[in-house]
Amino acid sequence: GENVEQHPSTLSVQEGDSAVIKCTYSDSASNYFPWYKQELGKRPQLIIDIRSNVGEKKDQRIAVTLNKTAKHFSLHITETQPEDSAVYFCAASLWNNDMRFGAGTRLTVKP
Amino acid sequence: NAGVTQTPKFQVLKTGQSMTLQCAQDMNHEYMSWYRQDPGMGLRLIHYSVGAGITDQGEVPNGYNVSRSTTEDFPLRLLSAAPSQTSVYFCASSYEGFYTEAFFGQGTRLTVV
């Protein structure tokens, strides 16, 4: 089955700096790559996603890049704010019969 | 519009007891799924359903049963609870399966003693 690895497990940045989280996946057939944000004690919520036919997608301060050849994708957050502090999960979907998540990255933005 | 609703929010079970975690959605989504979240392991898929009457196993199905008699409801049953099933459980629904955004319930924190 699909295997998703996520790095780093913890990340601390100063407010205003950029944050980058990287994920690799094992199955080249995976075709959907979402990122979820989970605040403490809350449910995961989608912040951005990308499909395998696209190399990059941006939404205000958040961007995701996908390198299908290398089988990795990354989340980029610019101009970080304290409210960006949360756990971020990447995931990879293999058509409609599997969804695998990374282990998560705890991001702390220090004011 | 409530979205995805899970009950209960917290539960303590003794080893060997059985129980059902409830999940309901009001978005008319065909796909529903159950995940467990353990520290340092992200979310792992337990079971999923592509529509009423159809269910399938995910990555970690052992010890759990599901059924889908209606589009709205997708209960998860623990047959004989074990301490290894102590976890936070999330139900999710989506419009087009694992290829679109998953909407999660608020989670159930289960402790098996």
Side-chain angles (χ1 to χ4, degrees), chain A residues 12-17 80-85 107-111:
Chain A
S12 182
V13 300
Q14 288 293 138
E15 182 177 358
D17 287 350
T80 54
Q81 302 167 2
E83 51 265 38
D84 294 329
S85 295
L107 174 64
T108 303
V109 180
K110 293 181 284 187

Side-chain angles (χ1 to χ4, degrees), chain B:
Chain B
N1 193 342
V4 180
T5 302
Q6 288 181 237
T7 56
K9 289 187 178 179
F10 302 94
Q11 183 71 49
V12 179
L13 286 180
K14 293 183 178 179
T15 297
Q17 286 185 317
S18 62
M19 79 159 295
T20 299
L21 307 185
Q22 302 291 344
C23 176
Q25 54 94 7
D26 62 1
M27 296 176 282
N28 203 32
H29 287 166
E30 289 295 329
Y31 276 72
M32 296 187 73
S33 49
W34 276 101
Y35 297 86
R36 59 177 289 172
Q37 184 175 34
D38 301 295
M41 300 186 73
L43 295 105
R44 291 183 292 168
L45 181 65
I46 304 171
H47 284 285
Y48 64 98
S49 169
V50 302
I54 306 170
T55 64
D56 208 343
Q57 297 181 350
E59 182 184 359
V60 289
N62 293 340
Y64 308 94
N65 273 0
V66 292
S67 60
R68 185 94 178 271
S69 56
T70 66
T71 298
E72 294 77 21
D73 300 298
F74 190 44
L76 178 73
R77 281 183 288 278
L78 281 71
L79 308 174
S80 178
S84 60
Q85 294 179 305
T86 293
S87 188
V88 179
Y89 292 84
F90 285 98
C91 176
S93 74
S94 58
Y95 178 63
E96 281 188 335
F98 298 126
Y99 197 64
T100 55
E101 177 179 3
F103 293 86
F104 287 86
Q106 71 270 42
T108 296
R109 183 174 294 277
L110 175 68
T111 302
V112 182
V113 298

Side-chain angles (χ1 to χ4, degrees), chain A residues 3-11 18-26 33-36 47 63-67 70-77 88-92 100-107:
Chain A
N3 182 50
V4 178
E5 294 190 357
Q6 182 172 347
H7 300 280
S9 56
T10 61
L11 179 60
S18 295
V20 180
I21 303 170
K22 298 180 179 180
C23 289
T24 61
Y25 60 100
S26 60
F33 306 91
W35 286 88
Y36 288 86
I47 54 171
V64 57
T65 58
L66 171 65
N67 184 326
K71 290 188 285 187
H72 69 71
F73 56 112
S74 300
L75 177 71
H76 305 254
I77 306 175
Y88 292 81
F89 293 98
C90 64
R100 298 293 175 102
F101 284 80
T105 296
R106 182 174 300 279
L107 174 64

